[in-house]
Amino acid sequence: MLHVALVGNPNTGKSTLFNALTGMRQRVGNYSGVTVERVEGRYQGADGRVVTVLDLPGTYSLSASSPDEEIALGVLLGRAEGLDTPDVVVVVADAQNLERNLFLASQVLELGLPTVVALNQVDAAQAAGLKIDPVELTLELGAPVVATVATKGEGLELLKQAVAKAPSLPRAERRFELPAAAAGALRPLEETLAAGGLGESAAAMEALRLLAVAEPGKHLAGIPGLPAAVARARAEVEAAGLHPRSLEAEARYGWIAGVVERCVTRTATGKRTLTDRVDAVVLHRVGGPLIFVGLMALVFQAIFSWAEPLIGWVEGLFGALGGWAGSALPPGDLSSLVVDGVIAGVGSVLVFLPQITILFLFIGVLEDSGYMARAAFIMDRFMRSVGLHGKSFIPLLSGYACAVPGVMSTRTIENPKDRLATIMVLPLMSCSARIPVYTLLIGAFIPPVAVAGVFNLRGVTLLAMYLLGTVTALAMAAVFKKTLLKGRARPMIMELPPYRLPSVRSLAMSVSHRASLFLRKAGTIILSLSIVLWALATYPKTEAAPGTSEEAAQEAQLAGSVLGRLGHAIEPAVRPLGYDWKIGVGIVSSFAAREVFVSTMGTIYGIGAADESSTSLRDRLRAERDPETGMRAYTPLVAVGLMVFYVFAMMCMSTVAVVVRETGGGWTGVRWASIQFGYMLALAYLSALLVYQGGRLLGLG
């Protein structure tokens, strides 16, 4: 078996090449101890050997200044936990931006590993007037160079052959000379690194890299005397009149300029490319944001409208499955567990899969076409006004569908504080799980009166809930960036790749991987908690009196269950908000997922299988009377306060679990998730209290 690592700059077509090489033979996981996604695949080589391919995170260099770069360097040096040093490294270089891509390639070549350079997107380079000589480039780099067009599958067989032969070829070495004073200053540092277990060539690359970085990186932790050796090398380089932090860049780019001059022939006529012409419109100061808003509106609309038929199909499927299981199993606890616990629990997760898939499909199209980088660029100035990075916008947008994939998509944000701030406010965006709650309460208590002659008060109320969450998310981001996550604002530096048609095959694989990741991480958590809630609502048993209707028996059972008793226990805490114990039970049960509130209220009122459109449930809520005062238990003021509570409260177990993982895992992740849960609960409680008590003072209650 041959182990291959795929490394390259972002937007070089690396993932497309990975998909083209490995097809569907892939599996997705995480690198040990971190949340950076680890994707592996395999193919059978021409000689019959199985070749495993590890798709490393996209990185511009091996400076290890971000989690992705640190992972890439650790894997290539054989210092990543659970992974051996790769047998062959394939550096994917964008032919249109060869000069910049050769910086990473030159670093990898110095590691002393068998290396092949995949010169990708050569067709686009030729269209742009660039002709690159692969043979001359091979001689310059000292490693085989194969021209590829991953989207068309061109050059793949040659690449596989080059990978198979790479271990038997001489290893590449540094192709440029450092100033004599710098080389002398770095020699003791290289010896320190070599004594710490690095090969001679890798130690030379690391020594030069360490002059420019603030921290050595976790992969070098434990090497005796390393900090002192780095400090001495920097001092000697400075004493020689050189700049330690720019020495590597100057040396590498000086050599790269010569390589490009000898290998690249430019035949461009100076005409504007298609990308230039499109960017003139898409990045226009006024038109750009308008186009962006239009595209986002399309995405937003599609998530809710296109998914509806599929959601209905999934609901019908699980309804039929539950009916079949209910008829096949004898009545009793086992049947209830399977139907109400297991099947209903899985269905409550899968019902959101169409929305998640559509969202990931749009994100994939925007990413692969090259527009996503423009979107982040356009939004950067707006996001910076509240202290967030431009890249935060797409995860926040994802939060409208579901916070789980939104939190996961923050991995594209390099700055840890910016990423954390985005994660901390993202659940405030009104996700689709809140819609059943909003719909039930608006339908029951908000009259369908016209507003301004055009709008409906119900629609305006729903819009107000979305705006309230969005504005609060931005405000809380500003608070975090000025307190717990305070840090120097970093300008966004992003390459704008050329526009290209997304590969349908690559897109399908990307969407399926992300969807399966969502199912595996979120589905299991919700399923487990649903079973727990079923047990809490089922035990202890309450015997119904003879002649009691089924609905009344259900209500009595719930009231006497652990969940019901818990509702009575927390009633004093929710009374100031205008809620009784029944709403308290609904709130507690909806910790698994917000929409569980609706079905819980239906069960409480003895209406089996209630949903947000159930007229009976709405009528029962409107008709409910306080047993002590005889007055209406629920009013429009209570309903608005309850909606405000759900706008802010973190009532989603799967989101909590994902936040724990994505903020560092272990106790670090638990601490951030606790802070998030606590501030959102406080915000929800105080806001609902303000709405209810303030409304009463104004005579609205």
Side-chain angles (χ1 to χ4, degrees):
M1 182 179 289
L2 198 65
H3 299 287
V4 175
L6 216 58
V7 65
N9 288 186
N11 299 315
T12 58
K14 180 170 66 66
S15 295
T16 304
L17 181 61
F18 173 78
N19 291 331
L21 284 172
T22 62
M24 295 300 291
R25 297 173 292 278
Q26 303 176 5
R27 61 191 179 95
V28 182
N30 275 37
Y31 290 96
S32 179
V34 295
T35 57
V36 178
E37 193 173 89
R38 168 181 161 182
V39 184
E40 291 178 291
R42 59 174 56 192
Y43 67 86
Q44 189 167 26
D47 55 359
R49 279 191 297 179
V50 174
V51 181
T52 65
V53 184
L54 176 63
D55 187 14
L56 293 175
T59 175
Y60 289 105
S61 72
L62 297 180
S63 63
S65 57
S66 73
D68 286 357
E69 292 176 351
E70 194 169 335
I71 283 293
L73 184 54
V75 170
L76 296 177
L77 289 175
R79 289 174 171 257
E81 187 178 342
L83 288 173
D84 296 327
T85 306
D87 300 313
V88 179
V89 179
V90 174
V91 180
V92 184
D94 179 7
Q96 298 175 89
N97 297 286
L98 184 62
E99 187 168 356
R100 177 175 47 72
N101 281 248
L102 285 181
F103 187 93
L104 172 65
S106 68
Q107 288 183 315
V108 175
L109 289 168
E110 289 181 25
L111 294 177
L113 297 171
T115 302
V116 177
V117 176
L119 189 62
N120 198 29
Q121 300 175 161
V122 289
D123 58 338
Q126 289 175 354
L130 299 174
K131 184 178 180 181
I132 302 172
D133 186 345
V135 177
E136 184 64 28
L137 189 57
T138 296
L139 296 174
E140 290 286 349
L141 301 181
V145 176
V146 179
T148 61
V149 182
T151 53
K152 301 177 181 176
E154 296 178 5
L156 295 186
E157 290 306 316
L158 283 177
L159 180 61
K160 291 179 180 178
Q161 294 174 17
V163 167
K165 294 179 181 177
S168 62
L169 299 177
R171 308 295 168 84
E173 297 177 344
R174 178 174 289 172
R175 314 292 282 189
F176 56 89
E177 297 287 339
L178 290 174
L186 288 172
R187 198 159 296 122
L189 178 55
E190 294 172 11
E191 293 172 354
T192 301
L193 290 164
L198 270 66
E200 182 180 347
S201 183
M205 193 286 289
E206 281 282 29
L208 184 57
R209 180 188 72 86
L210 288 173
L211 291 180
V213 298
E215 297 291 337
K218 295 178 182 176
H219 65 287
L220 297 181
I223 295 181
L226 183 61
V230 173
R232 283 196 298 271
R234 283 178 181 159
E236 291 186 27
V237 168
E238 283 184 335
L242 302 170
H243 298 285
R245 295 193 181 280
S246 61
L247 180 62
E248 182 184 18
E250 291 172 357
R252 291 193 189 280
Y253 277 120
W255 168 73
I256 289 170
V259 172
V260 171
E261 185 177 349
R262 291 185 289 274
C263 299
V264 180
T265 303
R266 301 177 189 275
T267 59
T269 59
K271 292 183 179 178
R272 299 173 71 197
T273 64
L274 177 62
T275 293
D276 294 333
R277 292 195 292 273
V278 174
D279 275 347
V281 177
V282 170
L283 298 182
H284 188 271
R285 188 171 183 79
V286 177
L290 293 177
I291 293 172
F292 172 75
V293 171
L295 273 174
M296 293 305 104
L298 175 64
V299 173
F300 193 77
Q301 178 67 23
I303 288 172
F304 288 101
S305 60
W306 294 4
E308 279 303 318
L310 295 173
I311 288 175
W313 184 81
V314 175
E315 287 177 331
L317 175 65
F318 277 88
L321 183 61
W324 174 82
S327 60
L329 294 171
D333 286 355
L334 178 60
S335 174
S336 178
L337 172 62
V338 173
V339 176
D340 302 329
V342 176
I343 296 178
V346 173
S348 71
V349 174
L350 289 186
V351 74
F352 294 106
L353 186 59
Q355 289 180 315
I356 302 302
T357 303
I358 290 174
L359 176 66
F360 283 145
L361 178 63
F362 269 102
I363 290 177
V365 170
L366 294 176
E367 283 179 342
D368 291 358
S369 66
Y371 183 78
M372 192 66 86
R374 273 85 179 172
F377 175 78
I378 291 169
M379 290 306 299
D380 183 52
R381 56 175 163 159
F382 299 104
M383 303 305 287
R384 270 190 290 143
S385 64
V386 295
L388 288 179
H389 199 273
K391 289 184 178 180
S392 300
F393 181 77
I394 299 302
L396 291 176
L397 180 73
S398 304
Y400 280 128
C402 178
V404 172
V407 171
M408 289 162 59
S409 64
T410 60
R411 294 171 179 174
T412 58
I413 304 171
E414 293 90 352
N415 186 291
K417 290 185 176 179
D418 289 342
R419 182 170 181 244
L420 255 178
T422 306
I423 291 174
M424 295 299 285
V425 305
L426 197 146
L428 288 169
M429 309 297 283
S430 277
C431 65
S432 56
R434 290 176 169 100
I435 292 178
V437 180
Y438 294 160
T439 307
L440 171 67
L441 297 174
I442 289 175
F445 297 103
I446 306 301
V449 298
V451 177
V454 179
F455 304 104
N456 186 293
L457 182 58
R458 289 180 172 175
V460 171
T461 305
L462 183 61
L463 176 63
M465 295 301 118
Y466 275 88
L467 290 178
L468 180 62
T470 304
V471 172
T472 306
L474 296 177
M476 287 306 301
V479 172
F480 277 114
K481 289 296 291 182
K482 291 180 179 177
T483 54
L484 291 179
L485 300 173
K486 188 176 183 179
R488 184 170 60 90
R490 295 178 59 178
M492 186 176 71
I493 301 174
M494 176 178 284
E495 175 196 3
L496 297 181
Y499 293 104
R500 62 177 75 97
L501 283 176
S503 162
V504 174
R505 187 165 181 263
S506 178
L507 207 56
M509 291 182 179
S510 173
V511 171
S512 63
H513 285 161
R514 289 174 170 178
S516 64
L517 203 61
F518 165 76
L519 289 176
R520 189 167 66 247
K521 290 183 176 178
T524 53
I525 295 169
I526 287 186
L527 171 62
S528 302
L529 197 56
S530 295
I531 294 174
V532 172
L533 286 169
W534 169 86
L536 294 176
T538 305
Y539 301 105
K541 293 286 188 179
T542 300
E543 294 295 333
T548 305
S549 67
E550 184 179 352
E551 295 176 356
Q554 289 178 355
E555 185 173 351
Q557 166 59 39
L558 188 65
S561 68
V562 174
L563 200 62
R565 295 175 186 179
L566 183 60
H568 283 291
I570 67 172
E571 188 174 15
V574 299
R575 264 297 176 193
L577 309 181
Y579 310 155
D580 60 6
W581 74 268
K582 297 175 181 176
I583 291 183
V585 168
I587 290 174
V588 171
S589 64
S590 64
F591 177 74
R594 295 177 177 89
E595 65 274 25
V596 175
F597 173 83
V598 175
S599 57
T600 303
M601 295 302 288
T603 303
I604 290 174
Y605 283 99
I607 302 171
D611 56 39
E612 66 276 13
S613 61
S614 170
T615 303
S616 298
L617 179 56
R618 294 174 184 176
D619 290 341
R620 291 294 299 271
L621 291 176
R622 279 193 290 261
E624 180 71 2
R625 297 285 171 176
D626 188 313
E628 297 179 0
T629 64
M631 301 186 65
R632 293 175 60 190
Y634 310 132
T635 64
L637 184 60
V638 172
V640 171
L642 189 54
M643 283 190 284
V644 169
F645 182 90
Y646 272 96
V647 166
F648 295 134
M650 168 67 99
M651 308 300 285
C652 183
M653 186 66 183
S654 56
T655 302
V656 173
V658 171
V659 168
V660 170
R661 289 182 61 87
E662 297 296 314
T663 54
W667 285 112
T668 301
V670 170
R671 185 187 64 179
W672 282 111
S674 300
I675 293 173
Q676 184 182 54
F677 185 87
Y679 96 78
M680 289 183 67
L681 185 60
L683 199 59
Y685 190 91
L686 294 176
S687 299
L689 182 67
L690 179 64
V691 169
Y692 182 68
Q693 298 297 346
R696 290 187 66 190
L697 289 175
L698 295 174
L700 301 177

